[in-house]
Amino acid sequence: MPAASVVAVVVAYNRRELLAETLRGLRAQTVAPVRIVVVDNASTDGTTAMVGTDFDEVELVTLERNTGGAGGFAVGIERALQFDPQWVWVMDDDTVPLPEALSAMLEFSTKLPEAAVLASRVLWTDSREHPMNMPRRRPFTRVSAAAAAAGGYPIRSISFVSAMFRTGAIRRSGLPIADYFLWNDDFEFSTRVLRRRQGFLVTSSVVEHRTTTFGGTDADPGARFYLEVRNKVWLLTRSNSLGPLERLLYGGSTLRRWARTFARSKNRGLLADGLRRGLRDGITGRPRPNAEVLADLDTELVRGQREVADAVDRPDRAPAAGRGRRG
């Protein structure tokens, strides 16, 4: 298998022990990433000290405030691009990759070199397939003989739980949108990258997603339902990551999932408030450029790279993010 340079990006927030498991999993890879970038989203549990003491090989980016998963991955991916890898491998701080997770994806990429995005199979702690992280299959697309033989199938979107993106695709598509903060940032980013490119789930690449509970995306999110609604409205009306027919299909599936969430909730008043405010802010507003959202932070994304942050509003017309600049 030809060598390929991969930078892993982990976004962390107040889960020091789980993050340590993630980093130990990255250390144990049979094919190691050339660098690991950890973005600490202003944790208060000693995360920064733990990483500095126990994982001195890690490139640590410590932010002064919590920017959410969306902001963390925007900053982390931008930092990863400074090292000019072939792939950027992203994951949350409660994701533990099995030893051959990376090697399996790289082997798959040699058999289907047209792949721009690869994703791992995600299990919960009891080895069941985690419903929260089931990639959406690309509709109306048959699995090619080459993909089936390599142990994969085509996907349309994925979560940020062990997803690997070619750097060329990132540079042409732009970064995740930091203003999403939480919810749907990975969906918007992955569908944007995959709008005109191919991506696959690699069944032989396996990670554990060590969430507290086992459940899908229709679990009751409480007050965070506001972000789900606002961001989904932004995605369906402000992003061109989906085609016209896809907007109808995903819009319909969203309404059905929201109905299930309400039906199962014990606090429907809280969800109703989030729905009302989310629809209001989603319809009347739009996500701000990354450079504006992160303007108060001393990051590569802000320093001299406003054109890269602005490119998320112009998918597939982005400048070469990070090329020739070092952090």
Side-chain angles (χ1 to χ4, degrees):
M1 183 177 64
S5 61
V6 179
V7 173
V9 174
V10 185
V11 174
Y13 179 66
N14 280 345
R15 292 194 287 210
R16 181 183 59 188
E17 301 305 323
L18 281 172
L19 174 62
E21 291 295 320
T22 298
L23 296 178
R24 282 193 282 269
L26 288 171
R27 268 184 177 172
Q29 292 298 296
T30 56
V31 174
V34 296
R35 194 171 296 264
I36 301 168
V37 175
V38 170
V39 178
D40 180 9
N41 250 328
S43 296
T44 58
D45 66 346
T47 288
T48 294
M50 182 276 292
V51 173
T53 300
D54 299 339
F55 300 94
D56 58 359
E57 75 275 21
V58 166
E59 177 86 3
L60 179 63
V61 180
T62 302
L63 302 182
E64 297 175 356
R65 62 175 171 84
N66 182 9
T67 64
F73 280 113
V75 170
I77 292 172
E78 172 63 20
R79 176 60 64 91
L81 292 176
Q82 310 305 309
F83 304 105
D84 201 25
Q86 293 171 277
W87 295 89
V88 177
W89 184 22
V90 300
M91 66 192 70
D92 288 328
D93 57 353
D94 57 355
T95 303
V96 180
L98 273 60
E100 296 185 352
L102 180 55
S103 65
M105 286 194 287
L106 291 175
E107 183 175 0
F108 186 96
S109 72
T110 65
K111 298 174 182 177
L112 282 91
E114 67 272 23
V117 181
L118 298 173
S120 298
R121 187 161 59 97
V122 182
L123 307 180
W124 197 46
T125 54
D126 62 0
S127 298
R128 284 183 290 172
E129 300 270 357
H130 206 313
M132 184 182 295
N133 307 114
M134 295 292 288
R136 287 175 172 84
R137 287 178 177 260
R138 183 175 286 275
F140 316 118
T141 302
R142 297 181 60 184
V143 180
S144 68
Y153 61 78
I155 57 175
R156 185 63 181 93
S157 68
I158 50 174
S159 70
F160 281 159
V161 177
S162 190
M164 200 160 75
F165 300 86
R166 285 196 188 272
T167 55
I170 298 171
R171 285 175 168 139
R172 286 187 290 272
S173 298
L175 300 169
I177 301 176
D179 215 13
Y180 275 51
F181 192 77
L182 291 173
W183 289 66
N184 293 302
D185 52 303
D186 46 6
F187 182 42
E188 192 281 335
F189 178 71
S190 63
T191 52
R192 182 170 11 119
V193 174
L194 286 169
R195 176 77 187 270
R196 296 178 180 86
R197 302 179 183 90
Q198 295 189 51
F200 299 89
L201 178 90
V202 182
T203 56
S204 56
S205 175
V206 181
V207 302
E208 285 187 5
H209 192 194
R210 297 185 178 177
T211 57
T212 305
T213 58
F214 179 83
T217 55
D218 57 354
D220 189 343
R224 292 186 297 174
F225 190 58
Y226 162 77
L227 293 172
E228 153 66 9
V229 175
R230 184 200 66 178
N231 294 352
K232 190 60 63 64
V233 172
W234 278 351
L235 189 153
L236 293 172
T237 64
R238 303 292 192 264
S239 171
N240 63 0
S241 63
L242 300 175
L245 178 59
E246 289 178 320
R247 293 175 197 271
L248 292 175
L249 292 174
Y250 287 124
S253 67
T254 294
L255 293 176
R256 290 193 297 272
R257 188 172 64 254
W258 288 356
R260 291 196 301 268
T261 301
F262 267 87
R264 298 173 182 177
S265 176
K266 296 181 180 179
N267 192 344
R268 295 177 186 173
L270 182 63
L271 293 186
D273 179 67
L275 177 65
R276 177 187 59 79
R277 293 187 298 111
L279 289 174
R280 179 199 64 199
D281 293 349
I283 293 169
T284 61
R286 63 183 302 115
R288 296 168 293 166
N290 284 1
E292 179 180 338
V293 176
L294 306 172
D296 60 316
L297 303 175
D298 184 28
T299 67
E300 290 292 331
L301 196 150
V302 173
R303 294 196 300 267
Q305 303 213 33
R306 294 181 184 274
E307 77 283 1
V308 176
D310 290 340
V312 297
D313 292 326
R314 304 185 304 278
D316 293 312
R317 292 169 53 196
R323 190 171 298 159
R325 291 182 288 269
R326 296 288 171 179

